[in-house]
């Protein structure tokens, strides 16, 4: 019952399953012990009745006191143990879960983070784990423990007097059937509300990221109205979810309580027909006050269990995504990059359908093709940000899918369009290229990347903080910082995604100068957007429809009047907007 399926259902670690079992065991003890309290009361009541009917002596006050004190003491101990096992151990489990997730995320292919919405991922790490913490602490021990203890008590009652037991307990299964019936509705409401929550955080993130543009174009009110709408929609879904859960939980609770009425009715009938005595009815009335208590708690929690399914699925999705593994030894023979019949699909969309080409060491290979033809995908696969679904990619003859990603990436510099700069000084932002580089090395790289002239104009030179994601720098300056980083790293392979946004002439010349220093003697794979880069490349690979349509030196391809490349260059000549 509490095997692998249970473990997955609640996303528990092995230790977590053990803790959950302990929590359940102590809940059973607590619940059964509470029944013992009823037993003491029953015993005293019976002695008292005997005194009234048979003139027997009253039970001693001392016996009564001793029983009460012993009961309170044992009750405290069992409750403490239950608390320790349900809450104390859960905190341990939450820690294991967070550390485990972080470890897992570290090992996932980098491309995974491009696929998953970041707001969604944050929600999983924070929200879903919190939700599970609540479920683990409140539900597992109490809920399952209550089921077990009630089953034990029900069997005892049935043996004692089955007619009264049925009258007392019939409501429990009916209430639970009703709740399980409502499960689909609750789950749907919860899914809708989760989607709405993600829309809200996406909206907030988008507004913050684009605050400059929003202000510049006077769109504040429009954006705020949009956000308000999203927040209202989220609130509505939450209210609806609570309403659905509330109706069913309350209905179930009422049905269960009807058991009190049927117990009294059945008891009275049986007493009248002389089948039981008053004391038995009294005992059942005592039991009934206790037996529903854990179930009331369960009813309140069961909606949470249903809703937690979504959180569990999201957590398991991270755990079930295969990690990128490999050896830490990487000794390639040179740094030629070879694609051999590489196929790749994002989800179901086949993007590369058998791509083969070689980017030679010491040369610039330009990937060219219409937007969406898979140029960026090729660059990502070349760095093992994703793994190819079929075919092989080799660097210096070594199949990169056998190399541990971090080891592999130490041979790569990436200069991509979306340069990520951190809210730190210029110096530290460049130093990211090479861990432990001296200030002199950083400055030399900055100079080679044509950065020093704009850095010297900053208020505190290299020690100037550059604001989150380089907000204080222009596009060309940010790009040069990222080139400086790559120069500092001096990796043998450079993946370059040229900026699509046009820079001013001065910046453009400086970026080109910096690049020409970076690219010397490297294996360069460039996603080219400018004619100038394309014509200066050593080799052109034209991608179309997921395959290599043409390959060769720029002048050769251009000379062939029927080639796609020729057509593209012609078109570029007539339309400055054409983006290859
Ligand atoms: P290019 O760089 O030539 O413009 P891409 O390699 O970026 O082309 O994209 C190729 C195709 O793959 C496009 O249809 C694009 O929509 C799709 N694609 C790109 N990145 C992703 C992603 N992270 N998830 C799903 N589809 C993607």
């Amino acid at each position: 019952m509490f095997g692998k399926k249970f473990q997955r259902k609640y996303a528990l670690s092995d230790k977590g399953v053990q803790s959950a079992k302990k929590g359940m065991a102590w809940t059973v003890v607590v619940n059964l012990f509470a029944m013992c309290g009823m037993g003491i009361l029953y015993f005293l009541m019976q002695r008292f009745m005997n005194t009234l009917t048979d003139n027997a002596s009253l039970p001693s006050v001392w016996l009564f006191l001793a029983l009460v004190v012993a009961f309170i003491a044992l009750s405290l101990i069992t409750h403490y143990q239950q608390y320790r096992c349900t809450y104390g151990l859960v905190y341990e489990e939450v820690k294991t879960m967070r550390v485990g997730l972080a470890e897992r995320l570290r090992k996932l292919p980098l491309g995974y983070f491009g696929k998953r919405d970041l707001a969604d991922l944050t929600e999983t790490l924070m929200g879903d784990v919190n939700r599970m913490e609540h479920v683990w602490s409140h539900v597992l021990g109490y809920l399952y423990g209550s089921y077990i203890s009630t089953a034990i008590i029900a069997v005892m009652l049935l043996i004692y007097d089955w007619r009264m037991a049925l009258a007392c307990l019939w409501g429990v299964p009916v209430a639970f059937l009703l709740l399980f019936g409502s499960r689909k509705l609750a789950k749907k409401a919860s899914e809708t509300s989760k989607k709405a929550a993600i829309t809200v955080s996406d909206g907030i993130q988008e507004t913050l990221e684009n605050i400059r543009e929003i202000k510049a174009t006077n769109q504040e009110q429009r954006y705020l109205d949009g956000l308000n709408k999203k927040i209202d929609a989220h609130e509505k879904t939450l209210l609806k979810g609570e309403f659905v859960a509330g109706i069913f939980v309350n209905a179930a609770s009422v049905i269960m309580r009807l058991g009190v009425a049927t117990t009294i009715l059945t008891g009275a009938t049986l007493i009248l027909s002389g089948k039981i005595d008053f004391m038995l009815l009294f005992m059942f009335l005592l039991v009934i006050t206790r037996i529903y208590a854990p179930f009331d708690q369960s009813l309140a929690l069961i909606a949470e269990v249903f809703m937690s399914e979504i959180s569990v699925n999201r957590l398991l999705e991270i755990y079930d995504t295969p990690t990128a593994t490999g050896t830490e030894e990487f000794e390639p023979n040179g740094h030629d990059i070879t694609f051999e019949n590489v196929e790749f699909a994002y989800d179901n969309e086949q993007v590369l359908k058998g791509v083969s080409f070689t980017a030679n060491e010491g040369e610039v290979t330009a990937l060219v093709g219409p937007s969406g033809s898979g140029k960026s995908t090729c660059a990502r696969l070349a760095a093992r940000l994703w793994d190819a679904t079929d075919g092989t990619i080799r660097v210096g003859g070594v199949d990169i899918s056998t190399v541990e990603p971090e080891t592999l990436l130490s041979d790569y510099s990436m200069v991509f369009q979306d340069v990520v700069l951190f809210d730190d000084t210029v110096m530290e932002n460049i130093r990211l290229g090479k861990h432990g580089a001296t200030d002199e090395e950083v400055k030399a790289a900055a100079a080679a990347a044509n950065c020093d002239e704009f850095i010297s104009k900053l208020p505190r030179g290299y020690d100037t903080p550059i604001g989150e994601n380089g907000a204080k720098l222009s596009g060309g300056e940010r790009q040069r910082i990222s080139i400086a980083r790559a120069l500092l790293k001096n990796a043998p392979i450079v993946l370059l995604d040229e900026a699509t946004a046009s820079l001013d002439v001065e910046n453009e010349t400086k970026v080109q100068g910096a690049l020409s220093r970076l690219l010397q003697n490297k294996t360069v794979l460039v996603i080219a957007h400018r004619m100038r880069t394309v014509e200066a490349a050593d080799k052109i690979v034209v991608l179309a429809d997921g395959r290599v349509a043409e390959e060769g030196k720029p002048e050769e391809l251009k000379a062939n009047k029927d080639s796609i490349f020729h057509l593209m260059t012609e078109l570029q000549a007539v339309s400055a907007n054409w983006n290859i």
Side-chain angles (χ1 to χ4, degrees):
M1 180 186 177
F2 301 117
K4 278 272 168 262
K5 219 167 147 198
F6 173 79
Q7 187 171 5
R8 265 184 85 78
K9 186 170 159 65
Y10 293 104
L12 284 165
S13 70
D14 292 343
K15 213 170 143 208
V17 176
Q18 297 307 321
S19 317
K21 280 185 192 165
K22 274 192 202 155
M24 280 174 221
W26 278 109
T27 306
V28 172
V29 172
V30 164
N31 288 345
L32 290 182
F33 195 68
M35 284 296 160
C36 291
M38 298 299 137
I40 296 174
L41 212 61
Y42 178 67
F43 161 72
L44 286 170
M45 190 69 187
Q46 201 167 33
R47 293 292 298 266
F48 186 64
M49 293 292 280
N50 286 348
T51 320
L52 288 183
T53 49
D54 308 342
N55 244 349
S57 61
L58 266 175
S60 115
V61 176
W62 292 114
L63 174 69
F64 176 73
L65 267 182
L67 278 174
V68 169
V69 169
F71 179 73
I72 291 175
L74 281 171
S75 183
L76 279 177
I77 294 171
T78 50
H79 269 96
Y80 171 73
Q81 284 295 349
Q82 184 196 23
Y83 174 84
R84 206 177 62 87
C85 290
T86 48
Y87 289 91
L89 293 173
V90 156
Y91 288 121
E92 203 46 36
E93 181 68 3
V94 169
K95 203 169 87 189
T96 316
M97 169 76 116
R98 287 227 163 91
V99 173
L101 274 178
E103 238 342 79
R104 191 80 196 172
L105 285 176
R106 199 173 70 81
K107 289 189 188 141
L108 284 179
L110 282 176
Y112 177 81
F113 301 95
K115 193 176 88 172
R116 273 281 296 255
D117 184 343
L118 280 188
D120 189 18
L121 204 58
T122 318
E123 168 65 19
T124 301
L125 280 180
M126 305 309 295
D128 289 336
V129 177
N130 273 348
R131 216 157 293 125
M132 286 322 292
E133 175 180 345
H134 202 246
V135 168
W136 288 332
S137 58
H138 287 68
V139 173
L140 286 190
Y142 285 123
L143 200 66
Y144 285 87
S146 301
Y147 291 165
I148 299 169
S149 58
T150 305
I152 296 173
I153 294 165
V155 170
M156 279 161 46
L157 291 180
L158 279 166
I159 292 171
Y160 203 73
D161 189 313
W162 64 272
R163 296 159 298 194
M164 289 298 287
L166 284 182
C168 168
L169 291 167
W170 68 270
V172 175
V174 176
F176 274 80
L177 277 180
L178 182 72
L179 271 189
F180 277 95
S182 74
R183 190 186 166 120
K184 253 206 175 123
L185 273 179
K187 203 169 147 193
K188 206 171 136 215
S190 169
E191 257 165 20
T192 323
S193 138
K194 177 125 267 174
K195 274 190 198 133
I198 291 170
T199 318
V200 170
S201 44
D202 271 347
I204 293 174
Q205 203 170 335
E206 187 191 46
T207 313
L208 291 177
E209 274 169 9
N210 300 324
I211 195 83
R212 251 190 329 200
E213 285 75 12
I214 294 171
K215 276 187 183 289
T217 49
N218 262 336
Q219 303 271 336
E220 286 123 306
Q221 201 51 47
R222 199 174 68 85
Y223 256 82
L224 280 180
D225 289 348
L227 258 184
N228 273 340
K229 259 193 210 140
K230 285 176 189 163
I231 293 171
D232 284 347
H234 179 218
E235 197 180 302
K236 267 194 201 128
T237 59
L238 278 180
L239 283 176
K240 201 173 149 199
E242 294 282 335
F243 185 66
V244 171
I247 285 183
F248 284 99
V249 166
N250 282 313
S253 181
V254 168
I255 287 178
M256 214 162 65
R257 270 169 211 294
L258 283 178
V260 180
T262 48
T263 308
I264 294 173
L265 275 177
T266 315
T269 317
L270 290 174
I271 290 174
L272 284 180
S273 59
K275 292 197 174 107
I276 59 167
D277 61 4
F278 173 73
M279 278 316 288
L280 194 107
L281 172 61
F282 177 71
M283 187 195 79
F284 269 91
L285 287 178
L286 278 181
V287 169
I288 223 168
T289 56
R290 283 295 316 177
I291 204 163
Y292 293 149
F295 274 93
D296 265 346
Q297 216 168 12
S298 307
L299 287 180
L301 293 171
I302 207 149
E304 206 168 339
V305 174
F306 293 158
M307 287 187 194
S308 77
E309 257 175 46
I310 298 160
S311 295
V312 169
N313 286 342
R314 286 149 52 96
L315 289 169
L316 288 181
E317 198 243 335
I318 295 181
Y319 274 104
D320 293 345
T321 305
T323 49
T325 50
T327 135
E328 283 176 23
E329 258 172 58
F330 179 48
E331 284 164 4
N333 178 18
H335 287 90
D336 289 355
I337 304 176
T338 318
F339 275 58
E340 292 167 14
N341 277 319
V342 172
E343 293 187 18
F344 184 75
Y346 292 102
D347 304 320
N348 297 322
E349 188 197 351
Q350 186 84 8
V351 179
L352 304 183
K353 303 169 187 163
V355 169
S356 302
F357 70 88
T358 300
N360 290 316
E361 187 166 356
E363 285 186 3
V364 174
T365 305
L367 291 171
V368 171
S371 183
S373 58
K375 304 182 291 288
S376 313
T377 307
C378 281
R380 285 178 206 142
L381 292 179
R384 213 190 161 195
L385 303 190
W386 289 109
D387 276 331
T389 33
D390 207 357
T392 317
I393 301 169
R394 295 182 199 279
V395 167
V398 178
D399 178 352
I400 61 168
S401 68
T402 63
V403 185
E404 204 271 321
E406 261 174 66
T407 313
L408 184 73
L409 282 176
S410 62
D411 273 9
Y412 285 71
S413 287
M414 285 183 246
V415 184
F416 283 172
Q417 282 191 37
D418 37 3
V419 188
V420 178
L421 297 175
F422 293 91
D423 191 10
D424 204 334
T425 60
V426 178
M427 179 76 90
E428 293 314 317
N429 262 290
I430 300 179
R431 211 193 309 269
L432 276 179
K434 182 175 156 192
H435 184 65
T438 62
D439 287 2
E440 280 60 43
E441 285 177 291
V442 172
K443 285 180 183 165
N450 285 341
C451 288
D452 49 359
E453 148 268 332
F454 81 81
I455 293 175
S456 65
K457 283 194 198 131
L458 293 173
R460 280 159 60 197
Y462 279 92
D463 296 326
T464 317
I466 48 178
E468 203 169 325
N469 211 2
K472 294 177 191 160
L473 299 177
S474 77
E477 290 165 349
R478 290 156 56 121
Q479 219 179 3
R480 275 182 273 159
I481 292 226
S482 96
I483 295 173
R485 255 187 215 165
L487 276 165
L488 189 63
K489 185 167 181 184
N490 198 22
I493 298 172
V494 179
L495 302 180
L496 173 67
D497 187 358
E498 261 191 335
T500 35
S502 51
L503 301 174
D504 58 66
V505 180
E506 191 194 342
N507 253 320
E508 167 97 40
T509 320
K510 284 181 178 148
V511 168
Q512 286 300 337
L515 274 179
S516 63
R517 265 169 232 135
L518 171 67
L519 305 184
Q520 264 168 26
N521 304 323
K522 307 270 164 58
T523 310
V524 183
L525 199 58
V526 50
I527 301 166
H529 297 285
R530 301 210 164 94
M531 216 46 223
R532 200 159 76 172
T533 322
V534 176
E535 285 178 340
D538 298 289
K539 183 180 198 175
I540 307 279
V541 174
V542 183
L543 288 175
D545 200 21
R547 293 196 171 80
V548 175
E550 286 157 16
E551 192 180 348
K553 289 188 186 307
E555 53 280 6
E556 283 169 15
L557 291 182
K558 222 166 154 184
N560 179 357
K561 296 267 183 290
D562 298 327
S563 69
I564 303 178
F565 186 69
H566 179 79
L567 180 70
M568 279 178 155
T569 46
E570 294 268 292
L571 281 175
Q572 170 117 16
V574 281
S575 161
N577 294 328
W578 177 253
N579 192 8
I580 55 173

